[in-house]
Amino acid sequence: MIAALLRHLGIADAQPVSGGCIHRCYRATLAGRAVFLKANDARLADAFAAEADGLGALRAAGCTAPEPISHGAAGANAYLLMEFVELKSRGDFAALGRMLAALHRVQGSRFGWERDNYIGSTPQQNGAYDSWAQFWRERRLGPQLALARRNGYELDADSVVQLLEGHSPAPSLLHGDLWSGNAGFLTGGAPVLFDPALYYGDREADLAMTELFGGFPLEFYSAYGPLPAGYETRKHLYNLYHLLNHLNLFGGGYLGQVKATLRLLADAL
C-alpha cells in the first residue's frame, strides 16, 4: 500500500520510524531533502490537512515547528509530508517555556479557530464563542461527554464549568495538545513543537496539559512565568477534557482518573 503512495510522491525509498500511535511514519528523501512522511487511510485526509494548518500557524507565530510541505490523498492513502527534524527528548526547557509564552501572546478576537481539527484521532470542534466558559462547555467538555455516553460511560459533569465563572482570560493562541510527546529539541538544545491541536483559548489550558502526564522540568515553568490565582483548580477542569478523550479513545483504564477528577472539581465548587 505504501509503495503506491511513494510513487505518487516521487519518493524512491522510505524507512519506517517512530512518530505516533495513530499514523504510519517514515523518513524519506525527496529531491535531495530529508522529509518526514505520515500516512493513513484516505478517510483521514482532513486530519492531515488540520495538522498542516496547525504547523503553519505555529511557524507564523514565531515557534520552531516542522515545515509542512504537502498533504492530500492518493488512492487508498492520505498523507502529510513535512520537513524532517532530528529531535531529542531533552534540551533547553527554559527556552521552551519562553517560546510557549511568546505563542500565548498571540491573541485573537474570540475563542476558537477558523477550522475544526483533531485531538488525537477525535474530532475537535472550534466554532467561535465570545465567552470562554461557553466555549469550554460547548466545544470541549460537551462533545467528549456525549461521546462517552455513546461509549457506555454515564458521567455527571454538567456543573463543573461553573468553576470558570468570573474567569475572563484573553483568547491566546494555544498548541492545544502540549505534552512531552509533542515537544522536542534540536541537537543544540533549541525547542521544537509539533502535532498541534491549535485554537485560541485560555493559556492555562496548555500549561495544565504539560502537568498531566508527568510534567515538564521546573525550569520550563519558571521561564514561562506566573499564572493567575485559581489556576491550581482550573487546571483539573482543563485536563478533564484530555482524560475524557483518552477514555473515549482507549477505554475504561482512564475511567478511575476521570471520576477522581470530577470528585476533585465537585469539591471545589
Side-chain angles (χ1 to χ4, degrees):
M1 186 180 292
I2 190 64
L5 177 60
L6 295 180
R7 288 194 298 271
H8 173 79
L9 294 173
I11 294 173
D13 186 44
Q15 300 300 318
V17 294
S18 60
C21 60
I22 299 173
H23 307 299
R24 304 185 300 276
C25 299
Y26 305 86
R27 178 175 182 169
T29 302
L30 179 64
R33 180 186 187 185
V35 292
F36 186 72
L37 173 64
K38 287 185 173 183
N40 212 315
D41 296 342
R43 61 185 175 82
L44 296 180
D46 187 64
F48 288 140
E51 184 175 348
D53 172 72
L55 289 171
L58 287 177
R59 289 169 61 87
C63 293
T64 302
E67 176 192 0
I69 299 170
S70 66
H71 62 86
N77 292 287
Y79 69 91
L80 170 62
L81 193 63
M82 68 182 85
E83 169 190 11
F84 183 87
V85 182
E86 194 76 55
L87 293 175
K88 300 180 180 300
S89 61
R90 308 293 297 181
D92 190 342
F93 276 96
L96 179 60
R98 292 190 293 271
M99 187 165 73
L100 184 65
L103 175 67
H104 291 168
R105 287 193 289 272
V106 178
Q107 296 182 354
S109 58
R110 305 179 76 195
F111 299 102
W113 188 240
E114 58 199 29
R115 60 158 294 151
D116 293 342
N117 49 33
Y118 298 81
I119 183 72
S121 60
T122 307
Q124 179 170 265
Q125 300 175 15
N126 289 321
Y129 281 95
D130 293 319
S131 162
W132 171 242
Q134 189 175 11
F135 179 87
W136 196 254
R137 179 186 297 109
E138 301 297 332
R139 301 303 191 201
R140 292 296 177 264
L141 289 188
Q144 289 288 351
L145 288 167
L147 182 56
R149 284 192 293 272
R150 292 196 295 273
N151 289 333
Y153 304 108
E154 290 293 336
L155 299 165
D156 182 10
D158 292 340
S159 62
V160 296
V161 179
Q162 294 177 30
L163 291 167
L164 295 179
E165 289 182 2
H167 181 58
S168 301
S172 295
L173 189 58
L174 307 187
H175 177 281
D177 193 10
L178 189 56
W179 66 292
S180 60
N182 288 342
F185 300 90
L186 303 176
T187 300
V192 180
L193 294 175
F194 46 93
D195 287 349
L198 196 119
Y199 66 100
Y200 287 107
D202 182 1
R203 65 193 180 107
E204 294 179 7
D206 263 355
L207 273 296
M209 194 181 186
T210 67
E211 297 190 46
L212 184 57
F213 300 116
F216 288 9
L218 180 59
E219 54 264 34
F220 167 82
Y221 301 100
S222 297
Y224 180 89
L227 290 166
Y231 165 73
E232 290 299 322
T233 297
R234 288 188 295 270
K235 70 181 182 182
H236 298 291
L237 177 61
Y238 297 151
N239 282 340
L240 177 61
Y241 172 63
H242 298 291
L243 290 172
L244 285 167
N245 188 48
H246 277 66
L247 175 66
N248 286 320
L249 287 174
F250 306 119
Y254 286 91
L255 184 59
Q257 200 170 356
V258 167
K259 289 184 173 180
T261 301
L262 286 170
R263 288 193 297 270
L264 185 155
L265 293 170
D267 289 345
L269 288 172

